[in-house]
Amino acid sequence: MTTQSSTSPAMRTAPGAPADAAAFFAASLAFRTDVSDVHASLESGEPGFVLVDGRSLEAWEQAHVPGAVHLPKEEIPARAAELLAPSVPVVVYCWGPGCDGATRAALALATLGYRVKEMIGGIEYWIREGFTVQTASGPETSPRDPLTAPVGAPACGC
């Protein structure tokens, strides 16, 4: 086995112990899911969760995931109980990886007692993977971005 040089930028901080890494990654999967898995779950007809878009009304109207519930993160404390059953898990999304709106929405929901996951990638990666969005003019589907999803394959294979 080769040891990494301490001058390697990627290894300046050594990897954690395998047991710590397993606990970290298991916890990460308990709190996050990706757009491909959310899409497959919604397509199954029995996703086992409610999908929540935490963006503004303007963003929602521009494009949103079909079947999602619109609940802007600022309105979660006042409106979550009228829109969401506490017994049903929630998956939240926002714009994309450069935005922490879904994380903030997830925190607000968790604080209220909801079991919640964040859809990593947000609507940006939903669109980039070629999944349909609802717009003011109807459903729209963009071609898959070959940098984020295999072209011609039914799923990413992750």
Side-chain angles (χ1 to χ4, degrees):
M1 174 169 7
T2 337
T3 356
Q4 297 295 328
S5 164
S6 62
T7 60
S8 164
M11 292 293 129
R12 277 189 208 128
T13 300
D20 294 340
F24 172 82
F25 294 118
S28 179
L29 291 171
F31 300 112
R32 293 184 174 154
T33 187
D34 63 36
V35 297
S36 185
D37 287 345
V38 169
H39 181 264
S41 297
L42 293 173
E43 289 289 304
S44 78
E46 294 185 32
F49 61 86
V50 173
L51 183 62
V52 170
D53 183 322
R55 300 174 304 142
S56 69
L57 180 60
E58 295 80 10
W60 168 264
E61 289 175 344
Q62 180 176 319
H64 59 272
V65 175
V69 171
H70 184 230
L71 181 57
K73 67 183 179 307
E74 295 83 13
E75 297 177 18
I76 288 173
R79 296 190 55 226
E82 76 184 57
L83 297 173
L84 306 170
S87 61
V88 179
V90 177
V91 174
V92 297
Y93 72 89
C94 200
W95 280 107
C99 170
D100 64 2
T103 304
R104 292 176 192 204
L107 174 60
L109 288 163
T111 300
L112 293 173
Y114 291 90
R115 293 177 299 145
V116 63
K117 285 188 167 197
E118 178 181 5
M119 183 176 83
I120 57 174
I123 197 159
E124 175 188 349
Y125 276 74
W126 184 272
I127 293 167
R128 291 179 76 179
E129 289 198 17
F131 301 136
T132 300
V133 293
Q134 184 65 40
T135 69
S137 58
E140 290 186 17
T141 306
S142 299
R144 282 185 168 192
D145 180 341
L147 297 177
T148 64
V151 176
C156 68
C158 294

